[in-house]
Amino acid sequence: MKNTLEQIYKNAAEEIINAQTFDALENVKLKYLSRKGELNSIKKNLKDLSDEEKRTIGALANNIFNELDKQIDEKMQKLYKVQLNNKLESERIDITLPSDFRPQGKVHPLTQTINEIVEIFQGLGFSVMPQEYSPEVETEYINFDMLNFPPNHPAKDMQDTFYTKVAPNVILRSQTSGAQIRQMLNQNPPVRVISPGRVYRCESVSARKNNLFHQIEGLLVDKDITFADLKGILNEFVRLYFGASRPTRFRASYFPFTEPSAEVDVQCIMCGGKGCRTCSGSGWLEVLGAGMVHVNVLKNVGIDPEIYSGFAFGMGVERLAMLKYAINDIRLFFNNDVRFLNQF
Ligand code: DAH
């Protein structure tokens, strides 16, 4: 019987060593250590032995049971480690591999420019006009008449307007200046607003002109506002937008809705004032129009010009972006070529 036990031990120990999977090991355990396993069937036969033999054989059987149980446990740990290592090896991450290429979206350069200009004016105490005062489909009445363009006056030809078939005199606005009217009809002075938006002109498209472009309109109305205030604010704007070192100049001009009117130039960014193709040899680039709000415009919206005065200005966003970034074709803003857009 002792021999049988020792043979069982040898066989089991060998099978434990050979078991390479959890399943195989589990089977070894079942075969030798379970209730119906080989060791237990030996123990069942103990009753036929003498007391002396019962003790020695019983003890031996127990020792073998414990030893095999221990070996199976150790083998289990070992198999677990092997399995874990295989898993780590097969799931290894190569951190030097290039990642997925996901092109990143960006804010359009025109929107960037508008945001930048809006921020400058917010810093100067202006707020952005409510969108509803600034519709792109506008009446001739607001776009021209209320702004002191005389009926059938050639001044209307300054801007080639798109007419619609929606109703007589309904147009695509040719300038953002109409927003001034809607603002003043809705708010008593003091008024201090800017209004960015799209405008439309029926012109042949070229490197310098597009049918659709953007303007930012500005309006300040209060007591005791003079041309010096206009000059101070606009000088400050140009200084913040183009940089402190760029000289500006105010040139007398004409707009029906301002009197006096001016155009603001900055020294040419290409030649530094020496004169080149970009500035047509003058050394200066026009960046915006401005003036003191015309008395007739104040009257049109019911503001007493004896008490209040104000100034207004309007600038082309594309033009300002082109001058700052030396872009030579306005159409680039509208072609949506990512090679262009990615540069901003
Ligand atoms: N609306 C003018 C244009 O499109 C620009 C302009 C000039 C706006 C003078 C103003 C202003 O508010 O005061 O050419």
Side-chain angles (χ1 to χ4, degrees):
M1 208 143 193
K2 192 173 167 232
N3 285 346
T4 320
L5 273 175
E6 277 166 359
Q7 193 56 48
I8 288 175
Y9 174 74
K10 255 180 79 183
N11 292 347
E14 205 175 297
E15 286 179 42
I16 290 170
I17 289 170
N18 289 336
Q20 295 306 334
T21 64
F22 291 113
D23 278 352
L25 199 59
E26 198 57 41
N27 283 338
V28 176
K29 195 171 179 174
L30 274 175
K31 183 171 165 192
Y32 293 99
L33 304 186
S34 68
R35 222 151 35 83
K36 289 180 181 165
E38 292 191 17
L39 274 176
N40 252 335
S41 36
I42 294 271
K43 282 189 194 166
K44 277 180 202 148
N45 295 331
L46 284 180
K47 59 183 188 305
D48 302 331
L49 300 176
S50 69
D51 283 355
E52 175 67 27
E53 277 178 318
K54 268 185 198 162
R55 228 176 290 127
T56 50
I57 299 294
L60 182 62
N62 277 339
N63 283 345
I64 290 177
F65 184 96
N66 289 338
E67 177 62 23
L68 288 177
D69 198 38
K70 197 180 101 193
Q71 286 182 16
I72 287 173
D73 249 19
E74 284 169 1
K75 182 70 188 233
M76 195 72 87
Q77 302 284 340
K78 208 165 144 189
L79 284 181
Y80 177 73
K81 268 188 200 153
V82 169
Q83 197 195 44
L84 186 67
N85 279 337
N86 285 342
K87 201 169 169 205
L88 289 175
E89 191 69 28
S90 67
E91 291 177 2
R92 175 185 288 194
I93 294 168
D94 183 352
I95 57 166
T96 65
L97 279 176
S99 65
D100 286 357
F101 176 67
R102 309 238 171 118
Q104 201 181 10
K106 285 197 178 163
V107 178
H108 192 280
L110 286 179
T111 309
Q112 285 186 38
T113 304
I114 290 172
N115 290 345
E116 188 186 348
I117 296 171
V118 165
E119 262 176 46
I120 289 174
F121 278 104
Q122 282 173 332
L124 295 170
F126 288 74
S127 49
V128 177
M129 194 185 284
Q131 195 69 48
E132 67 262 30
Y133 298 166
S134 182
E136 290 173 31
V137 179
E138 188 50 285
T139 57
E140 258 192 298
Y141 176 70
I142 297 277
N143 192 81
F144 291 124
D145 302 342
M146 288 289 274
L147 285 162
N148 198 40
F149 284 74
N152 305 319
H153 191 278
K156 275 193 184 177
D157 295 342
M158 283 168 72
Q159 299 165 1
D160 302 290
T161 309
F162 280 115
Y163 284 77
T164 72
K165 291 177 178 158
V166 177
N169 305 329
V170 172
I171 60 169
L172 299 184
R173 69 172 171 190
S174 61
Q175 54 183 355
T176 45
S177 301
Q180 291 183 37
I181 300 298
R182 294 183 180 276
Q183 177 73 37
M184 288 187 286
L185 287 173
N186 283 285
Q187 190 202 346
N188 293 323
V191 172
R192 199 180 252 250
V193 287
I194 53 166
S195 179
R198 295 191 192 103
V199 300
Y200 302 84
R201 294 202 190 164
C202 184
E203 292 175 316
S204 49
V205 173
S206 70
R208 300 176 129 258
K209 287 179 175 173
N210 200 49
N211 289 149
L212 155 70
F213 60 102
H214 297 73
Q215 287 185 334
I216 298 180
E217 193 75 16
L219 175 69
L220 187 150
V221 183
D222 205 343
K223 287 175 180 155
D224 302 323
I225 299 300
T226 69
F227 200 89
D229 298 308
L230 177 159
K231 218 175 159 180
I233 289 283
L234 292 181
N235 264 335
E236 189 63 6
F237 162 70
V238 174
R239 195 179 73 81
L240 289 169
Y241 182 76
F242 285 104
S245 55
R246 197 145 295 282
T248 58
R249 94 181 165 180
F250 284 67
R251 194 163 30 79
S253 185
Y254 169 75
F255 301 101
F257 38 92
T258 47
E259 181 59 35
S261 301
E263 275 171 307
V264 180
D265 299 341
V266 294
Q267 192 181 64
C268 180
I269 55 157
M270 294 299 185
C271 63
K274 288 196 273 295
C276 65
R277 254 185 50 189
T278 302
C279 59
S280 313
S282 73
W284 294 93
L285 297 164
E286 179 205 325
V287 292
L288 55 89
M292 301 307 290
V293 180
H294 199 290
V295 169
N296 290 349
V297 174
L298 292 175
K299 284 183 185 159
N300 286 344
V301 295
I303 292 178
D304 185 349
E306 298 294 330
I307 303 175
Y308 293 104
S309 55
F311 65 80
F313 54 88
M315 54 186 89
V317 176
E318 283 78 359
R319 181 164 174 82
L320 284 166
M322 288 168 82
L323 293 178
K324 184 157 174 173
Y325 301 112
I327 297 162
N328 58 10
D329 194 326
I330 193 172
R331 292 169 291 195
L332 287 166
F333 290 117
F334 303 98
N335 291 342
N336 289 333
D337 184 335
V338 286
R339 291 168 301 181
F340 171 73
L341 298 175
N342 264 338
Q343 295 175 45
F344 298 90

